[in-house]
Amino acid sequence: MRISCRLSEIVGDLRAVMGEVAELLSGFSDDEVLEVMAAVETVGRVVSAGQVRVAGEVAVRSRSELGDEGLSRAQNFTSPLKLVAHVTGVSARESKARLELGRRMRGAMLLGGGEGPVPFPSVASALNEGGLGVEAAAVIVRQCGELAQRGCGVDVVASAEQTLVDETLTRGLSADQTAKLAIRLREILDPDGAEPRDELHQQQRSLTIAQASDGMIRGKFALTPEQGGIWLASIQAMQSPRVTGPRFLSEDEAMAEFATADTRTQAQKNADTITELLARAAGSPDMPRINGATTTVNVHITLDDLEAGRGVGWIDGVDEPVPASTVAQLRCHSPLAATVFGDRGEVLHHGKTKRLFTAAQNRALAARDGGCVWPDCDRPPSYCETHHADEWVSPDHPPGRTDIDNGVLLCHFHHSHLHKSAWRLVMREGVPHIVPPRWIDITQTPIPTTRRPTARPQHYAA
C-alpha cells in the first residue's frame, strides 16, 4: 500500500536523524538540547494523533452490531482492545486509551455508511498538527463530552472546547494543568453537576485489603474528594518538618546527622504515616471497646524465643510471621494493646499492665526529651512511643525497670529501626545517648541526644 510505503520511508529517515541526534547530543548546548526535545515531541505528537485516528477506525469497524463480521472478530480476537494490543505491542491500558479517544474523535456512523461531522474539530486540528498532546486532548474531549451529556448546548460545548485548546496551546499548559483548567471551566458552565458527580463518587468509594502471596498486606482504594482531602491533610501535617532556627554543627555532630539521615522513600513515609494515624486512633479513649478492652493485637511466640530475642511471632489474622524484633517493639510500647501468648496459649505478657510507663511518667519523659530523641527527627511527644533503654524482659528480670531514668521517647519509625538495626540506645546520667554501629564509629562513642529546651550544647563550657 502506498501510504504504508511512505510511512516506512519516513521511519527510515527518522531513524537516521535520531541516530545523528544520539551521536551529537552530548555536544549540544543547553538551548540546543531543549530545542531538539521540543522538535522530537512534535514528531511524537503527530505520530500519536495517527495512532489515535487508526485505533478509532478499528473501534468503529469492530462495533458489536457487526457481530462476527466486525474487524476484531474477523481477525479472531474477542475485542478490539486485544486486536490493537496484538498489532501494536502496547499494553491493554494504552490500547484502551487509544480506542476510547479515537472513538470519541470520530464522527458518528451515518445510515449510508459514511462518517458524520467530527465532534471535536478544534481538538482534532490541534492534535493532527502536533500542537496538542494526546493526554491533553483526552482531557478536553472527556470534559466536553460530560458537558454535552449534562445537557449543555452545542454552542456552549464548542466554546468550552475552543477555550481549552487555545489556553493549552498559547500558555503551553501541561496535560495536568489542562485537566485542572477543564474542571474549573466545567464548574462555571455546569454548576449543578456537582451533586450528581458526588453521588457517583460516593458509590465508587472503596478500600480493599488482603494478604498477598509474598506476605505483604496489599490493597487498593478509591476516595471521594472529601475523604482524599482528609487523608492528604493528615499526611502533610504529620510529615511537615519542624521550623527550626540556624544550626551550627561540630564535626562529630555533622557525622552523626549524616549517619542517622532518614532514607525512606516518600511512599514508605506515607505508609508509615497512615499506620501511625491508625495506631493513634486505635488507642484513643473514644474508640469502641470489645468487652471493655481497647483494640488488641494478639501475638503468639514461645517463651524461650521471647526471652532470647530470636525466632518469630504470629499475629492473629495475618499468615506471615514477624521477627522477634517486631514482637519486642510491640511489647516495648504500642498505642494498641499487644498480648503475647506462649506455645500453649497461656498469656505471657499483656501490653497494658505493669510493663508500660504510666501517663505521669510519659509526661515527664515528654518534658525531658521534647519528642523523638533520634537526631533530627521532628516527631513531637504525642506521636512517640516509650522505649526501655534496658529492655524489660519479665517481672523477675533485674534490668529494664519502668522508671523515667530508663525510658526514652522514640517515634514509631525510629523505634522500629532501633529494634532491628545495630544502633543501641543507653542512658548516661539520666540523658539518652545513641551508640552508633562499629562500622560508623570504631570507638562507638555514645552520642547525647535530647530535644528538651534546657539542654546545653554538647561542647558547652560551664
Side-chain angles (χ1 to χ4, degrees):
M1 184 183 294
R2 180 182 176 186
I3 292 182
S4 298
C5 293
R6 289 183 57 191
L7 289 174
S8 298
E9 294 174 359
I10 293 173
V11 169
D13 293 339
L14 188 58
R15 284 175 179 157
V17 172
M18 293 309 299
E20 295 179 17
V21 170
E23 293 177 0
L24 303 174
L25 191 58
S26 61
F28 287 172
S29 66
D30 292 348
D31 290 341
E32 289 173 331
V33 169
L34 297 179
E35 183 179 348
V36 170
M37 179 185 290
V40 171
E41 180 64 21
T42 300
V43 173
R45 288 179 175 180
V46 172
V47 172
S48 296
Q51 292 171 336
V52 169
R53 178 70 182 183
V54 175
E57 185 67 25
V58 170
V60 170
R61 296 191 182 196
S62 302
R63 59 190 187 277
S64 57
E65 58 264 30
L66 295 178
D68 292 338
E69 296 181 0
L71 178 58
S72 58
R73 291 194 178 186
Q75 295 294 322
N76 295 320
F77 290 95
T78 57
S79 68
L81 187 151
K82 293 184 177 181
L83 172 59
V84 172
H86 174 77
V87 173
T88 63
V90 300
S91 66
R93 181 178 180 180
E94 175 63 19
S95 299
K96 182 179 179 180
R98 292 182 187 179
L99 287 165
E100 183 176 352
L101 181 58
R103 188 185 296 110
R104 290 190 171 191
M105 294 286 295
R106 198 181 189 284
M109 291 294 297
L110 301 178
L111 292 177
E115 181 181 349
V118 176
F120 301 102
S122 298
V123 172
S125 177
L127 191 64
N128 293 334
E129 291 174 1
L132 190 67
V134 168
E135 290 179 303
V139 166
I140 297 173
V141 168
R142 182 174 63 254
Q143 294 293 354
C144 289
E146 289 183 7
L147 288 175
Q149 291 177 357
R150 285 283 301 163
C152 293
V154 175
D155 294 341
V156 172
V157 175
S159 177
E161 176 197 359
Q162 189 65 56
T163 298
L164 292 173
V165 171
D166 291 343
E167 288 289 312
T168 300
L169 296 181
T170 57
R171 294 169 54 188
L173 301 182
S174 66
D176 293 333
Q177 292 171 323
T178 299
K180 294 178 181 179
L181 178 61
I183 291 175
R184 292 196 296 270
L185 183 60
R186 181 195 66 192
E187 298 308 312
I188 294 174
L189 298 177
D190 182 28
D192 296 330
E195 286 295 339
R197 277 193 301 274
D198 182 67
E199 292 179 6
L200 180 61
H201 289 157
Q202 295 294 340
Q203 295 174 1
Q204 292 177 338
R205 72 188 189 280
S206 65
L207 172 62
T208 57
I209 301 177
Q211 183 166 334
S213 57
D214 61 356
M216 295 288 286
I217 307 298
R218 301 183 185 276
K220 60 181 181 179
F221 64 88
L223 305 177
T224 66
E226 175 190 5
Q227 293 171 327
I230 295 174
W231 280 46
L232 292 174
S234 300
I235 291 174
Q236 291 167 0
M238 291 185 66
Q239 293 183 359
S240 62
R242 289 185 299 123
V243 179
T244 58
R247 302 178 61 212
F248 302 94
L249 304 178
S250 67
E251 183 176 347
D252 292 340
E253 290 171 332
M255 176 60 71
E257 182 173 285
F258 172 78
T260 58
D262 191 344
T263 59
R264 291 177 294 173
T265 65
Q266 186 58 49
Q268 291 170 337
K269 290 180 181 179
N270 290 343
D272 292 346
T273 300
I274 292 296
T275 302
E276 187 174 341
L277 279 168
L278 290 173
R280 284 171 53 80
S284 170
D286 297 333
M287 279 292 289
R289 304 280 168 156
I290 301 177
N291 295 329
T294 187
T295 305
T296 303
V297 176
N298 290 328
V299 185
H300 300 257
I301 188 171
T302 65
L303 180 58
D304 290 341
D305 285 349
L306 178 66
E307 294 184 340
R310 64 170 184 266
V312 298
W314 301 86
I315 299 175
D316 280 353
V318 180
D319 296 333
E320 184 75 9
V322 296
S325 59
T326 299
V327 179
Q329 179 191 344
L330 286 170
R331 292 176 52 239
C332 189
H333 176 96
S334 174
L336 309 177
T339 305
V340 181
F341 293 91
D343 51 1
R344 294 184 300 276
E346 72 277 18
V347 176
L348 300 178
H349 302 292
H350 192 281
K352 297 297 178 184
T353 56
K354 298 177 183 179
R355 179 178 52 79
L356 287 191
F357 289 83
T358 66
Q361 287 175 319
N362 282 324
R363 287 194 294 270
L365 291 173
R368 186 197 69 190
D369 296 340
C372 178
V373 300
W374 201 269
D376 292 326
C377 183
D378 58 8
R379 282 290 182 263
S382 58
Y383 292 90
C384 290
E385 303 172 352
T386 315
H387 170 77
H388 291 79
D390 288 328
E391 183 183 5
W392 190 97
V393 176
S394 63
D396 56 355
H397 186 72
R401 296 171 294 108
T402 305
D403 295 335
I404 58 174
D405 59 356
N406 190 43
V408 65
L409 295 183
L410 290 167
C411 70
H412 179 80
F413 169 71
H414 286 120
H415 194 180
S416 174
H417 178 67
L418 182 66
H419 276 280
K420 298 175 186 296
S421 69
W423 288 82
R424 293 187 297 112
L425 193 147
V426 297
M427 301 295 292
R428 294 288 185 271
E429 299 180 350
V431 177
H433 290 60
I434 59 171
V435 181
R438 191 173 296 277
W439 60 269
I440 291 180
D441 180 5
I442 189 68
T443 64
Q444 292 191 292
T445 303
I447 304 170
T449 171
T450 182
R451 285 167 47 190
R452 70 184 191 277
T454 57
R456 293 185 176 185
Q458 182 177 356
H459 302 292
Y460 175 78

